[in-house]
Amino acid sequence: MMKTSMMKDLNCDLPSTMNIIAIEKPGGPEVLQMQTRPMPYPGINEILIKVCAAGINRPDVFQRLGKYPPPIGAPDYPGLEVAGHIVKIGTSVTSHKVGDNVCALLSGGGYADYAIANPVTTLPIPSCLTYIEAAALPETVFTVWSNLFDIGRLVKDEWLLVHGGTSGIGTIAIQMAKAFGAKVIATAGSETKCQFCLKLGADYAVNYRTSDFVDACRSTTGQKGVNLILDMVGGSYTAKNHEAAAMDGRIIQIATLQGSKVEINLSQIMKKRLWHTGSTLRSRPDIEKQTIAKSVEKYIWPLIEKGLIRPVIDTVLPLSKAAKAHRLMEKSDHIGKIILSTES
Ligand SMILES: NC(=O)c1ccc[n+]([C@@H]2O[C@H](COP(=O)([O-])OP(=O)(O)OC[C@H]3O[C@@H](n4cnc5c(N)ncnc54)[C@H](OP(=O)(O)O)[C@@H]3O)[C@@H](O)[C@H]2O)c1
């Protein structure tokens, strides 16, 4: 904790405590409990944000279950993204000022009235968005940018297959890929979800419960297959992704909802010269997150300002209802993002 003399905005009248949502012990949604904690103080290179809204992400569910521990130095309570306004900054911070409306990617601690953020992953809120909408952006946009464009090298006219098309990640991936001129096939678990993917701009949507996505990829691409696959499922999808891919196809793993131990046919990889890689955003060093943030602000923020990309909000609940929010996420009926609001 830093001394107050090292902080700007000494006159800011903040409470000495705040509400947070703690994980009392690994378990079901009921272990998420509101607690009172001391107000955090920003270090010399940090920002203190008054949180107006916090995004819920599937990794928060894994953290609650005890399967995704926070990195060293991060708060022990969940929350990877927030939107709000800056109330204090450390003395070395010159990129932001008190009063700025911002959204931030965090390494944890977003389910709270106030959150400490790193300036390099704190961006201005696009002028057309509310706090609720802005809180839906950082985790999904950073993840999608780094995987589709940095690692995946997606370019105009290529075919992208997005699994989980109506997930928080999927809804942004469809819009970002379309905005850059790619053609998109999305998978989802119901007709309603498929219709929503089409509404977002997907060229084709497959209900994986009633149709085979490999067949759909082949027929939609004139038997060539898809150039890039963004996969959060793993398990039985892995071999099928290799079948659905085109020559020189790239498969990017961002999660393994169906399991991470799989059997694959390596000859398929050799014959098609496939690339199968993956990434996790939270564990990446700040310098890499800063590079992603710069690209997001340069290439994606203008598209949001133009209305070409817009976060999809399924449900907004008060911070005190975090357990209900996690139940909703685990039910998987949502389309887009579930958000916690600290504003009454
Ligand atoms: N690697 C990274 O850096 C990174 C960063 C953020 C998120 N992620 C991952 O990306 C995925 C999406 O995150 P999100 O926050 O957007 O989650 P989300 O909104 O809860 O979406 C997950 C979706 O996956 C689909 N799904 C398919 N198979 C599933 C299964 N076996 N179990 C549960 N759901 C299944 C569900 O839709 P259907 O009804 O269509 O099946 C569900 O809506 C998560 O797995 C998350 O861990 C990875």
Side-chain angles (χ1 to χ4, degrees), residues 104-343:
L105 180 78
L106 310 177
S107 52
Y111 293 13
D113 287 333
Y114 294 83
I116 296 286
N118 186 331
V120 302
T121 53
T122 300
L123 296 177
I125 295 181
S127 63
C128 55
L129 297 189
T130 63
Y131 287 126
I132 299 285
E133 291 171 313
L137 289 175
E139 179 73 9
T140 51
V141 174
F142 279 53
T143 300
V144 171
W145 175 268
S146 61
N147 287 290
L148 290 194
F149 299 104
D150 281 346
I151 302 170
R153 306 275 169 209
L154 182 68
V155 293
K156 190 171 178 293
D157 292 331
E158 282 195 315
W159 278 102
L160 167 71
L161 171 63
V162 178
H163 290 303
T166 55
S167 63
I169 294 279
T171 51
I172 284 293
I174 292 170
Q175 295 181 77
M176 278 171 54
K178 289 304 294 179
F180 281 83
K183 295 174 280 191
V184 177
I185 300 171
T187 66
S190 72
E191 286 309 318
T192 307
K193 286 184 170 184
C194 284
Q195 285 305 318
F196 198 86
C197 293
L198 295 174
K199 206 171 118 193
L200 280 179
D203 298 272
Y204 195 82
V206 190
N207 179 349
Y208 67 82
R209 295 184 201 278
T210 56
S211 305
D212 180 28
F213 73 78
V214 178
D215 290 345
C217 288
R218 285 191 182 135
S219 58
T220 310
T221 60
Q223 303 303 317
K224 286 186 178 152
V226 290
N227 307 101
L228 184 65
I229 300 176
L230 185 67
D231 185 33
M232 59 185 71
V233 182
S236 67
Y237 276 35
T238 314
K240 293 176 78 172
N241 284 338
H242 293 174
E243 284 181 54
M247 288 295 290
D248 297 302
R250 292 95 70 202
I251 299 104
I252 304 195
Q253 209 67 51
I254 57 163
T256 55
L257 289 166
Q258 217 190 75
S260 56
K261 301 269 169 61
V262 298
E263 192 166 303
I264 55 166
N265 183 350
L266 289 171
S267 60
Q268 182 89 274
I269 292 185
M270 293 187 290
K271 275 188 225 154
K272 289 192 188 172
R273 298 187 299 271
L274 300 180
W275 296 78
H276 194 148
T277 183
S279 74
T280 57
L281 179 64
R282 197 183 195 182
S283 61
R284 295 182 75 164
D286 286 344
I287 184 80
E288 293 180 16
K289 290 181 185 166
Q290 179 175 24
T291 305
I292 299 168
K294 282 183 177 164
S295 297
V296 162
E297 189 169 7
K298 184 172 175 186
Y299 298 112
I300 303 302
W301 260 216
L303 298 174
I304 292 174
E305 293 287 4
K306 281 186 195 157
L308 293 173
I309 296 171
R310 193 151 193 119
V312 176
I313 308 298
D314 182 274
T315 305
V316 181
L317 289 166
L319 181 66
S320 58
K321 301 284 183 201
K324 184 175 179 187
H326 273 221
R327 277 187 201 102
L328 276 179
M329 175 157 276
E330 287 179 282
K331 209 166 159 230
S332 278
D333 285 342
H334 61 286
I335 290 180
K337 297 280 295 193
I338 301 167
I339 304 290
L340 296 174
S341 170
T342 63
E343 311 210 297

